[in-house]
Amino acid sequence: MTDTRTRAERLAGAIADAIVAGEWVPGDRLDEQALAERYGVSRTPVREALRQLGATGLIELRPRRGAAVALVTPEELDELFVATAEIEATCARLAALGMSPVDRRRLEALHDDMGALAAADDPVAYAEANTAFHGAIYAGARNAVLAEVALGLRRRLLPYRKAQFRAPGRPALSHREHGAVVDAIRCGDAAGAHAAMLHHVGLVERAVDALAGRAAPRRGAA
Amino acid sequence: MTDTRTRAERLAGAIADAIVAGEWVPGDRLDEQALAERYGVSRTPVREALRQLGATGLIELRPRRGAAVALVTPEELDELFVATAEIEATCARLAALGMSPVDRRRLEALHDDMGALAAADDPVAYAEANTAFHGAIYAGARNAVLAEVALGLRRRLLPYRKAQFRAPGRPALSHREHGAVVDAIRCGDAAGAHAAMLHHVGLVERAVDALAGRAAPRRGAA
DNA sequence: TCGTCCAGAATTGCATGCATGAAAGTTGGG
DNA sequence: CCCAACTTTCATGCATGCAATTCTGGACGA
């Protein structure tokens, strides 16, 4: 069956995928004509796709100066991480309160499966399963709006956390932290789920900082 | 000095303002040609503006079938309110933890000023000040990303909460709830600020529900 | 009365062309 | 050698035109 979406929509998806895949890195210029030729369309749908992506924050549109993959400052990156952590923690709390028994079992099963990937120290497979894990938390919160916001923020962070799981032993650490979240959700411990998720994403931030070769930014520190 | 923004950007702002002002209500079709004539431009920048607004959720773009002001179902409306409440509560918690003494004083002053508006039962002036109040909370959280998300959700809700303050006595009730938030922030009571804000926005939702009653817009209703 | 089907009209999707503003390159002066 | 102003080049912003799809309304048959 044919795709009913417009070219602009498909382009937006394709360009976003390419950015997340690292084909362009933050700061790279997105030339309208080059994109048009690459995807075999005219500049018009390319421009519409770029506007759409600009509204999500994944790219930046500077009037008369073209589009570029969003280049966030260290301060903005910290805010992005904090915002993501808070929203994911909120999802975890809502999940602890309202997740169905069946969904809880599924989450536990997914977590158990990830244990094997962590033990095998398989970063690629673990990263993929990690996305599913966080997606299960979003779903457990039973709030599509929060999930959409969280996914949007996660996408904006992806260009900066690509290599995160490649550090040896990181999947295992991530898995232990997930365990705290899963335990709290299983017990219906809303505050515990919130705290565990906040702690987890906070650790991810510090890992990214370490990879970037910076000292971990501290909120309000001198 | 001349506006350096492109026509598409200005159009996006103007159309959003018109929607929030109630010039079009949820479900109304947005005709490209009509918009182009109204704002004295061609369809090209109009289309780009519509894509931008579509990405924010304020309008819906149905391929080959035009754009319309987003018509949210009662279930989605509930999710929007919950998400907004959770994010604003998070901002309140962060504000309680990290707001500067000067900002705390400013927030208290703003709250006191709103007391007069509430006593006078002036819904229009109170609604305006209310926006400033919540903006002060966002600022207190010191996280532009969270603030941006909260504002975006608030904007999507605005077409549904326009008449909210017109119920007699509502400004006074809102002001009392704000007082609980302000008190908690003043004491640095993070959990209290979170709970007070959650409660406050939850009450707003119930007020909107009451106003909407059975006349709430329904998609595809029989 | 109701549903179906088929022009005609209207609207969206996209390509193309041109004008404007920004960046790069060049030249002349200090 | 450096810098500033000018020129050139090129990408973006926008208008216009055409093709494809959807919508409308009326005729026709059950």
Side-chain angles (χ1 to χ4, degrees), chain B residues 6-8 41-42 44-45 64-65:
Chain B
T6 71
R7 286 181 214 289
V41 298
S42 79
T44 304
R64 296 244 164 231
R65 312 180 85 210

Side-chain angles (χ1 to χ4, degrees), chain A residues 1-88:
Chain A
M1 97 162 228
T2 68
D3 194 338
T4 73
R5 293 180 303 169
T6 112
R7 281 169 173 58
E9 277 176 284
R10 273 175 285 171
L11 279 170
I15 294 170
D17 288 346
I19 291 174
V20 166
E23 200 158 329
W24 293 292
V25 298
D28 279 0
R29 181 91 175 281
L30 299 171
D31 184 89
E32 293 179 1
Q33 183 125 339
L35 288 169
E37 285 167 12
R38 162 171 175 164
Y39 292 104
V41 297
S42 79
R43 280 177 48 225
T44 304
V46 169
R47 286 176 58 81
E48 293 181 4
L50 292 180
R51 284 229 159 256
Q52 187 170 332
L53 293 174
T56 71
L58 190 65
I59 70 174
E60 275 171 7
L61 300 175
R62 293 162 307 173
R64 288 255 166 220
R65 312 181 75 207
V69 181
L71 189 58
V72 310
T73 65
E75 292 76 23
E76 282 175 318
L77 191 59
D78 180 55
E79 290 186 1
L80 263 175
F81 266 110
V82 170
T84 305
E86 291 288 352
I87 290 171
E88 298 219 351

